[in-house]
């Protein structure tokens, strides 16, 4: 564990969790709660993560929200949770509330058509297993492939689709392990801002994430709490604290639970 922001006092942060309104625990999934896996449907949480999350959710002392780049329907089977928390999927394009209600933004016809075309092109070019179509977005993954092959895929995708995607209102966004074409104006930072706007001004929150796409969320915290980078190796980041998974991550979540559950 390493404090990255000299203005952050971890003891003060935890002491504030018991003051004021219900605190918010905001969590990325892949790379944060679960290790990356070449087979995305096998990326289960680190040992012990589902257990502590079950305890926090059942205690009702925190607003628990998962904010993921995944399609919500693909994420749920991996969680191993007895009760689902609030989930924002596809970087905030879709939202599943604890009461089971579901919202997703409406896409323009041109956007939907282009996403379908990109998926068809990827399949025709031998990238079927690397292709992930979601509401308002399509990701092409290259994690786990040799460096030469990664660069070949990246160059081919960017050359073929960048201009056409932008014409259709999509933004090409690179992440740690691939590239995604998605509706602009919706990222994890927008999800965090929306959540914080729904909560009282004195709400203490934390966001835990690992990827470059989580940097938007770190910046959106805007002194409302703690931005936490969960990653085996440190990189340049806007986060306040760095945790190495899984042990430091588990320690943090257990401390959160024991502190708020009073």
């Amino acid at each position: 564990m390493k404090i990255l922001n000299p203005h952050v006092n971890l003891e003060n942060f935890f002491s504030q969790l018991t003051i004021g309104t219900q605190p918010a625990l905001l969590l990325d999934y892949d790379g944060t709660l679960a290790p990356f896996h070449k087979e995305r449907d096998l990326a289960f949480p680190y040992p012990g993560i589902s257990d502590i999350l079950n305890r926090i959710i059942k205690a009702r002392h925190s607003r628990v929200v998962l904010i993921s780049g995944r399609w919500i329907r693909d994420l749920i089977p991996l969680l191993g949770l007895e009760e689902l928390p609030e989930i924002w999927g596809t970087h905030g394009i879709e939202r599943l509330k604890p009461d089971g209600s579901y919202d997703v933004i409406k896409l323009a016809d041109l956007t939907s058509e282009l996403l379908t075309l990109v998926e068809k092109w990827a399949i025709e070019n031998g990238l079927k297993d690397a292709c992930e179509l979601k509401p308002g977005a399509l990701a092409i993954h290259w994690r786990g492939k040799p460096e030469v092959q990664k660069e070949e895929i990246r160059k081919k995708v960017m050359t073929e689709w960048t201009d056409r995607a932008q014409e259709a209102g999509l933004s090409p966004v690179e992440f740690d392990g691939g590239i995604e074409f998605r509706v602009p104006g919706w990222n994890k930072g927008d999800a965090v801002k929306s959540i914080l706007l729904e909560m009282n001004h004195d709400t203490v929150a934390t966001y835990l994430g690992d990827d470059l796409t989580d940097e938007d969320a770190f910046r959106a915290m805007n002194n409302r709490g703690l931005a936490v980078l969960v990653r085996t190796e440190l990189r340049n980041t806007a986060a306040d604290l760095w945790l190495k998974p899984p042990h430091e991550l588990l320690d943090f979540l257990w401390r959160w639970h024991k502190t708020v559950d009073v």
Side-chain angles (χ1 to χ4, degrees), residues 65-247:
V65 186
L66 296 184
I67 304 175
S68 173
R70 282 186 185 254
W71 195 344
I72 290 176
R73 74 175 194 182
D74 293 339
L75 177 59
I76 290 174
L78 300 174
L79 297 175
L81 297 177
E82 298 170 13
E83 181 180 334
L84 289 179
E86 180 179 347
I87 305 175
W88 292 61
T90 319
H91 306 279
I93 289 176
E94 46 170 353
R95 181 184 187 183
L96 178 68
K97 298 179 182 178
D99 64 6
S101 58
Y102 174 81
D103 297 315
V104 62
I105 67 168
K106 182 175 174 56
L107 302 177
D109 291 340
L110 182 60
T111 300
S112 297
E113 289 171 6
L114 188 78
L115 289 172
T116 302
L117 285 175
V118 177
E119 181 187 35
K120 181 180 178 182
W121 172 86
I123 292 172
E124 291 173 348
N125 282 268
L127 298 173
K128 180 179 180 180
D129 293 339
C131 195
E132 180 189 9
L133 183 63
K134 301 172 283 187
L138 182 138
I140 296 176
H141 300 263
W142 51 63
R143 180 176 287 108
K145 297 184 182 298
E147 289 300 323
V148 173
Q149 191 173 357
K150 288 180 184 179
E151 187 55 35
E152 288 177 354
I153 296 172
R154 180 187 178 280
K155 184 176 180 180
K156 186 182 291 187
V157 172
M158 295 293 283
T159 300
E160 183 75 21
W161 292 104
T162 298
D163 291 342
R164 293 173 67 182
Q166 292 174 340
E167 289 172 3
L170 293 169
S171 294
V173 180
E174 292 195 52
F175 58 92
D176 187 7
I179 187 168
E180 183 169 74
F181 296 96
R182 67 172 184 250
V183 177
W186 287 92
N187 58 47
K188 293 177 182 179
D190 296 312
V192 169
K193 291 175 185 176
S194 297
I195 292 165
L196 294 178
L197 282 173
E198 294 174 353
M199 307 188 78
N200 292 342
H201 71 279
D202 64 344
T203 297
V204 177
T206 188
Y207 181 89
L208 281 71
D210 73 294
D211 201 349
L212 295 175
T213 61
D214 295 304
E215 292 298 320
D216 294 314
F218 293 155
R219 289 187 287 270
M221 291 296 293
N222 196 25
N223 299 319
R224 288 288 296 273
L226 200 63
V228 182
L229 178 69
V230 181
R231 189 179 173 89
T232 55
E233 296 181 357
L234 182 61
R235 60 165 171 78
N236 290 332
T237 179
D240 304 305
L241 179 70
W242 171 40
L243 301 178
K244 288 185 178 182
H247 301 299

Side-chain angles (χ1 to χ4, degrees), residues 8-27:
V8 167
N9 184 304
L10 204 54
E11 297 304 318
N12 287 346
F13 168 77
F14 278 105
S15 68
Q16 291 171 2
L17 292 180
T18 59
I19 302 173
T21 56
Q22 182 188 48
L25 180 60
L26 315 178
L27 304 158

